[in-house]
Amino acid sequence: MPLRAAGRWITVPALDRLADWDGSDHCIGCVPPTISWRYRPRPRSPQTTAEIFRRIHTATAHPRLTAALAAAFTGAAGQQLGTARLGDWRRQTAALALHDPAGEVDGCATYPVPAWAAAFLDAAAHFTRLAPAPGLPLLMRPEEHSDLLRLAEQARLRPPQPGMDTAPGAVPVRGIEWFYRQLKETGLDAEAPQPLRRPRLRGRRAQNPSAAAP
């Protein structure tokens, strides 16, 4: 990616469910089948993929949050990322089992992980093996969800935004809108008064996530 573009925001449709967090449970002993896509992520160009890898790698040293952000490129929802445990990462096949017992997104499913993202999952798995706490999430705890969104913003990665057709490179004046998809689906994107809209992260930017303890 040219240097002049290195600081620009990259719009990633696969992240438009990253803000979802409705508390899916980890299924003990569940070995889900390969994903039958409902929301298949779009492929990226090699140049953009390399830039995404660089940004995630340099944004923080937090092993689990970097892996969670990389895993989001499978198209999984944020709530599913919190369900992964060590046994759900299958390095030999580069596949990650994520759980959704209520069937709110794609159901419990095993997702193919992009080759560039596997290194982040390996680092999270290594950290989890060293951690003393049994049952530690592979990727993130519920209370770390807002940290994950901040990390994506720090890396200048965002889901599709309002007004992108007229200003594709601009940052919305009010900050990144993480819930734009939900607002569109409910027809509230243009007409809902501000108090009804779910909160953005503007004004609460890092505090660098790398400063937090893994």
Side-chain angles (χ1 to χ4, degrees), residues 48-85:
T48 301
T49 297
E51 176 63 10
I52 289 170
F53 178 91
R54 185 194 70 79
R55 291 185 184 195
I56 296 176
H57 180 68
T58 58
T60 180
H62 195 302
R64 291 187 293 103
L65 286 184
T66 52
L69 184 53
F73 283 77
T74 63
Q79 65 202 46
Q80 293 174 279
L81 298 177
T83 69
R85 299 295 186 270

CSV table of all heavy atoms in Angstrom, one decimal, residues 48-85:
chain,number,residue,atom,x,y,z
A,48,THR,N,-4.0,-4.9,0.4
A,48,THR,CA,-4.8,-4.4,1.5
A,48,THR,C,-4.7,-5.4,2.7
A,48,THR,O,-4.6,-5.1,3.8
A,48,THR,CB,-6.3,-4.3,1.1
A,48,THR,OG1,-6.4,-3.4,0.1
A,48,THR,CG2,-7.1,-3.9,2.3
A,49,THR,N,-4.6,-6.7,2.3
A,49,THR,CA,-4.4,-7.7,3.4
A,49,THR,C,-3.1,-7.5,4.1
A,49,THR,O,-3.1,-7.6,5.3
A,49,THR,CB,-4.5,-9.1,2.7
A,49,THR,OG1,-5.8,-9.4,2.2
A,49,THR,CG2,-4.2,-10.2,3.8
A,50,ALA,N,-2.0,-7.2,3.4
A,50,ALA,CA,-0.7,-7.0,4.0
A,50,ALA,C,-0.8,-5.8,4.9
A,50,ALA,O,-0.2,-5.8,6.0
A,50,ALA,CB,0.3,-6.8,2.9
A,51,GLU,N,-1.5,-4.7,4.5
A,51,GLU,CA,-1.6,-3.5,5.3
A,51,GLU,C,-2.5,-3.8,6.6
A,51,GLU,O,-2.1,-3.3,7.7
A,51,GLU,CB,-2.2,-2.4,4.5
A,51,GLU,CG,-2.5,-1.1,5.3
A,51,GLU,CD,-1.2,-0.5,5.8
A,51,GLU,OE1,-0.1,-0.9,5.5
A,51,GLU,OE2,-1.4,0.5,6.6
A,52,ILE,N,-3.5,-4.6,6.4
A,52,ILE,CA,-4.3,-4.9,7.6
A,52,ILE,C,-3.5,-5.7,8.6
A,52,ILE,O,-3.5,-5.5,9.8
A,52,ILE,CB,-5.6,-5.8,7.2
A,52,ILE,CG1,-6.6,-4.8,6.4
A,52,ILE,CG2,-6.2,-6.4,8.4
A,52,ILE,CD1,-7.7,-5.6,5.8
A,53,PHE,N,-2.7,-6.7,8.1
A,53,PHE,CA,-1.8,-7.5,9.0
A,53,PHE,C,-0.9,-6.5,9.7
A,53,PHE,O,-0.7,-6.6,10.9
A,53,PHE,CB,-1.1,-8.5,8.2
A,53,PHE,CG,-0.1,-9.3,9.0
A,53,PHE,CD1,-0.5,-10.5,9.6
A,53,PHE,CD2,1.2,-8.9,9.2
A,53,PHE,CE1,0.4,-11.2,10.4
A,53,PHE,CE2,2.1,-9.6,10.0
A,53,PHE,CZ,1.7,-10.8,10.6
A,54,ARG,N,-0.3,-5.6,9.0
A,54,ARG,CA,0.7,-4.7,9.6
A,54,ARG,C,0.1,-3.8,10.7
A,54,ARG,O,0.6,-3.6,11.8
A,54,ARG,CB,1.3,-3.8,8.5
A,54,ARG,CG,2.4,-2.8,9.0
A,54,ARG,CD,2.7,-1.8,8.0
A,54,ARG,NE,1.6,-0.8,7.9
A,54,ARG,CZ,1.4,0.2,8.8
A,54,ARG,NH1,2.2,0.3,9.8
A,54,ARG,NH2,0.4,1.0,8.6
A,55,ARG,N,-1.1,-3.3,10.4
A,55,ARG,CA,-1.8,-2.5,11.3
A,55,ARG,C,-2.2,-3.2,12.6
A,55,ARG,O,-2.0,-2.7,13.7
A,55,ARG,CB,-3.1,-1.9,10.7
A,55,ARG,CG,-2.8,-0.9,9.6
A,55,ARG,CD,-4.1,-0.2,9.1
A,55,ARG,NE,-3.8,0.7,8.0
A,55,ARG,CZ,-4.7,1.6,7.6
A,55,ARG,NH1,-5.9,1.7,8.1
A,55,ARG,NH2,-4.4,2.4,6.5
A,56,ILE,N,-2.7,-4.4,12.5
A,56,ILE,CA,-3.1,-5.2,13.7
A,56,ILE,C,-1.8,-5.5,14.5
A,56,ILE,O,-1.8,-5.4,15.7
A,56,ILE,CB,-3.9,-6.4,13.3
A,56,ILE,CG1,-5.2,-6.0,12.7
A,56,ILE,CG2,-4.1,-7.3,14.5
A,56,ILE,CD1,-6.0,-7.2,12.2
A,57,HIS,N,-0.8,-5.9,13.8
A,57,HIS,CA,0.5,-6.3,14.4
A,57,HIS,C,1.1,-5.1,15.2
A,57,HIS,O,1.7,-5.4,16.3
A,57,HIS,CB,1.5,-6.8,13.4
A,57,HIS,CG,2.8,-7.2,13.9
A,57,HIS,ND1,3.0,-8.3,14.7
A,57,HIS,CD2,4.0,-6.7,13.8
A,57,HIS,CE1,4.2,-8.5,15.1
A,57,HIS,NE2,4.9,-7.5,14.5
A,58,THR,N,1.0,-3.9,14.7
A,58,THR,CA,1.7,-2.8,15.3
A,58,THR,C,0.8,-2.0,16.3
A,58,THR,O,1.2,-1.2,17.1
A,58,THR,CB,2.2,-1.8,14.3
A,58,THR,OG1,1.1,-1.3,13.5
A,58,THR,CG2,3.2,-2.4,13.4
A,59,ALA,N,-0.5,-2.3,16.3
A,59,ALA,CA,-1.5,-1.5,17.1
A,59,ALA,C,-1.3,-1.9,18.6
A,59,ALA,O,-1.5,-1.0,19.4
A,59,ALA,CB,-2.9,-1.8,16.7
A,60,THR,N,-1.0,-3.1,18.9
A,60,THR,CA,-0.9,-3.5,20.3
A,60,THR,C,-0.2,-4.8,20.5
A,60,THR,O,-0.1,-5.6,19.5
A,60,THR,CB,-2.4,-3.6,21.0
A,60,THR,OG1,-2.2,-4.0,22.3
A,60,THR,CG2,-3.2,-4.7,20.3
A,61,ALA,N,0.4,-5.0,21.6
A,61,ALA,CA,1.0,-6.3,21.9
A,61,ALA,C,0.1,-7.3,22.7
A,61,ALA,O,0.5,-8.3,23.1
A,61,ALA,CB,2.3,-6.1,22.7
A,62,HIS,N,-1.1,-6.9,22.8
A,62,HIS,CA,-2.1,-7.7,23.6
A,62,HIS,C,-2.4,-9.0,22.8
A,62,HIS,O,-3.0,-8.9,21.7
A,62,HIS,CB,-3.4,-6.9,23.8
A,62,HIS,CG,-4.3,-7.5,24.8
A,62,HIS,ND1,-4.8,-8.8,24.7
A,62,HIS,CD2,-4.8,-7.0,25.9
A,62,HIS,CE1,-5.6,-9.0,25.7
A,62,HIS,NE2,-5.7,-7.9,26.5
A,63,PRO,N,-2.0,-10.2,23.2
A,63,PRO,CA,-2.1,-11.4,22.3
A,63,PRO,C,-3.5,-11.8,22.0
A,63,PRO,O,-3.8,-12.2,20.9
A,63,PRO,CB,-1.3,-12.5,23.1
A,63,PRO,CG,-1.4,-12.0,24.5
A,63,PRO,CD,-1.4,-10.5,24.5
A,64,ARG,N,-4.4,-11.7,23.0
A,64,ARG,CA,-5.8,-12.2,22.8
A,64,ARG,C,-6.6,-11.2,21.9
A,64,ARG,O,-7.3,-11.6,21.1
A,64,ARG,CB,-6.4,-12.5,24.1
A,64,ARG,CG,-5.8,-13.7,24.8
A,64,ARG,CD,-6.6,-14.1,26.0
A,64,ARG,NE,-6.6,-13.1,27.1
A,64,ARG,CZ,-7.5,-12.3,27.4
A,64,ARG,NH1,-8.7,-12.3,26.7
A,64,ARG,NH2,-7.4,-11.4,28.3
A,65,LEU,N,-6.5,-9.9,22.2
A,65,LEU,CA,-7.2,-8.9,21.5
A,65,LEU,C,-6.8,-8.8,20.0
A,65,LEU,O,-7.7,-8.6,19.1
A,65,LEU,CB,-7.2,-7.5,22.1
A,65,LEU,CG,-8.0,-7.4,23.4
A,65,LEU,CD1,-7.9,-5.9,23.9
A,65,LEU,CD2,-9.4,-7.8,23.2
A,66,THR,N,-5.5,-8.9,19.7
A,66,THR,CA,-5.1,-8.9,18.3
A,66,THR,C,-5.7,-10.1,17.6
A,66,THR,O,-6.1,-10.1,16.5
A,66,THR,CB,-3.5,-8.9,18.2
A,66,THR,OG1,-3.0,-10.0,19.0
A,66,THR,CG2,-3.0,-7.6,18.6
A,67,ALA,N,-5.7,-11.3,18.3
A,67,ALA,CA,-6.2,-12.5,17.7
A,67,ALA,C,-7.7,-12.3,17.5
A,67,ALA,O,-8.3,-12.8,16.5
A,67,ALA,CB,-6.0,-13.7,18.6
A,68,ALA,N,-8.4,-11.7,18.5
A,68,ALA,CA,-9.9,-11.5,18.3
A,68,ALA,C,-10.2,-10.6,17.1
A,68,ALA,O,-11.1,-10.9,16.3
A,68,ALA,CB,-10.4,-10.8,19.6
A,69,LEU,N,-9.4,-9.5,16.9
A,69,LEU,CA,-9.6,-8.6,15.8
A,69,LEU,C,-9.3,-9.4,14.5
A,69,LEU,O,-10.1,-9.3,13.5
A,69,LEU,CB,-8.7,-7.4,15.9
A,69,LEU,CG,-8.9,-6.3,14.8
A,69,LEU,CD1,-10.4,-5.9,14.7
A,69,LEU,CD2,-8.0,-5.1,15.1
A,70,ALA,N,-8.2,-10.2,14.5
A,70,ALA,CA,-8.0,-11.0,13.3
A,70,ALA,C,-9.1,-12.0,13.0
A,70,ALA,O,-9.5,-12.2,11.8
A,70,ALA,CB,-6.6,-11.7,13.4
A,71,ALA,N,-9.6,-12.6,14.0
A,71,ALA,CA,-10.6,-13.6,13.9
A,71,ALA,C,-11.9,-13.0,13.4
A,71,ALA,O,-12.7,-13.6,12.7
A,71,ALA,CB,-10.9,-14.3,15.2
A,72,ALA,N,-12.1,-11.7,13.6
A,72,ALA,CA,-13.3,-11.0,13.1
A,72,ALA,C,-13.4,-11.0,11.6
A,72,ALA,O,-14.5,-10.8,11.1
A,72,ALA,CB,-13.4,-9.6,13.7
A,73,PHE,N,-12.3,-11.2,11.0
A,73,PHE,CA,-12.2,-11.2,9.5
A,73,PHE,C,-12.8,-12.5,8.9
A,73,PHE,O,-13.0,-12.6,7.7
A,73,PHE,CB,-10.8,-10.9,9.0
A,73,PHE,CG,-10.4,-9.5,9.1
A,73,PHE,CD1,-10.0,-8.9,10.3
A,73,PHE,CD2,-10.4,-8.7,7.9
A,73,PHE,CE1,-9.7,-7.6,10.4
A,73,PHE,CE2,-10.1,-7.4,8.0
A,73,PHE,CZ,-9.7,-6.8,9.2
A,74,THR,N,-13.2,-13.4,9.8
A,74,THR,CA,-14.0,-14.5,9.3
A,74,THR,C,-15.5,-14.1,9.1
A,74,THR,O,-16.2,-14.9,8.5
A,74,THR,CB,-14.0,-15.7,10.4
A,74,THR,OG1,-14.7,-15.2,11.6
A,74,THR,CG2,-12.6,-16.1,10.7
A,75,GLY,N,-15.9,-12.9,9.6
A,75,GLY,CA,-17.3,-12.5,9.4
A,75,GLY,C,-18.1,-12.8,10.6
A,75,GLY,O,-19.3,-12.6,10.6
A,76,ALA,N,-17.5,-13.4,11.7
A,76,ALA,CA,-18.2,-13.7,12.9
A,76,ALA,C,-18.7,-12.5,13.6
A,76,ALA,O,-18.0,-11.4,13.5
A,76,ALA,CB,-17.4,-14.6,13.8
A,77,ALA,N,-19.7,-12.6,14.5
A,77,ALA,CA,-20.2,-11.5,15.3
A,77,ALA,C,-19.3,-11.4,16.5
A,77,ALA,O,-18.7,-12.4,17.0
A,77,ALA,CB,-21.6,-11.7,15.7
A,78,GLY,N,-19.3,-10.2,17.1
A,78,GLY,CA,-18.5,-10.0,18.3
A,78,GLY,C,-18.8,-10.9,19.4
A,78,GLY,O,-18.0,-11.4,20.1
A,79,GLN,N,-20.1,-11.2,19.6
A,79,GLN,CA,-20.6,-12.1,20.7
A,79,GLN,C,-20.0,-13.5,20.5
A,79,GLN,O,-19.8,-14.2,21.5
A,79,GLN,CB,-22.1,-12.1,20.7
A,79,GLN,CG,-22.7,-12.7,19.5
A,79,GLN,CD,-24.2,-12.3,19.3
A,79,GLN,OE1,-24.5,-11.1,19.5
A,79,GLN,NE2,-25.1,-13.2,19.0
A,80,GLN,N,-19.8,-13.9,19.2
A,80,GLN,CA,-19.2,-15.2,19.0
A,80,GLN,C,-17.8,-15.3,19.4
A,80,GLN,O,-17.3,-16.4,19.8
A,80,GLN,CB,-19.4,-15.6,17.6
A,80,GLN,CG,-20.9,-15.8,17.1
A,80,GLN,CD,-21.0,-16.1,15.6
A,80,GLN,OE1,-20.9,-15.2,14.8
A,80,GLN,NE2,-21.0,-17.4,15.3
A,81,LEU,N,-17.0,-14.2,19.2
A,81,LEU,CA,-15.6,-14.2,19.5
A,81,LEU,C,-15.3,-14.6,20.9
A,81,LEU,O,-14.3,-15.2,21.3
A,81,LEU,CB,-15.0,-12.9,19.1
A,81,LEU,CG,-15.1,-12.5,17.6
A,81,LEU,CD1,-14.5,-11.1,17.4
A,81,LEU,CD2,-14.4,-13.6,16.7
A,82,GLY,N,-16.3,-14.1,21.8
A,82,GLY,CA,-16.1,-14.4,23.2
A,82,GLY,C,-16.3,-15.9,23.6
A,82,GLY,O,-16.0,-16.2,24.8
A,83,THR,N,-16.8,-16.7,22.7
A,83,THR,CA,-17.1,-18.1,23.0
A,83,THR,C,-15.9,-19.0,22.8
A,83,THR,O,-16.0,-20.2,23.2
A,83,THR,CB,-18.3,-18.6,22.2
A,83,THR,OG1,-17.9,-18.7,20.8
A,83,THR,CG2,-19.5,-17.7,22.3
A,84,ALA,N,-14.9,-18.6,22.1
A,84,ALA,CA,-13.8,-19.4,21.8
A,84,ALA,C,-12.9,-19.8,22.9
A,84,ALA,O,-12.6,-19.0,23.8
A,84,ALA,CB,-12.9,-18.8,20.7
A,85,ARG,N,-12.5,-21.1,23.0
A,85,ARG,CA,-11.6,-21.6,24.0
A,85,ARG,C,-10.4,-22.2,23.3
A,85,ARG,O,-10.5,-22.4,22.1
A,85,ARG,CB,-12.3,-22.6,25.0
A,85,ARG,CG,-13.4,-22.0,25.8
A,85,ARG,CD,-13.0,-20.9,26.7
A,85,ARG,NE,-14.0,-20.4,27.6
A,85,ARG,CZ,-14.9,-19.4,27.3
A,85,ARG,NH1,-14.8,-18.8,26.1
A,85,ARG,NH2,-15.8,-19.0,28.2
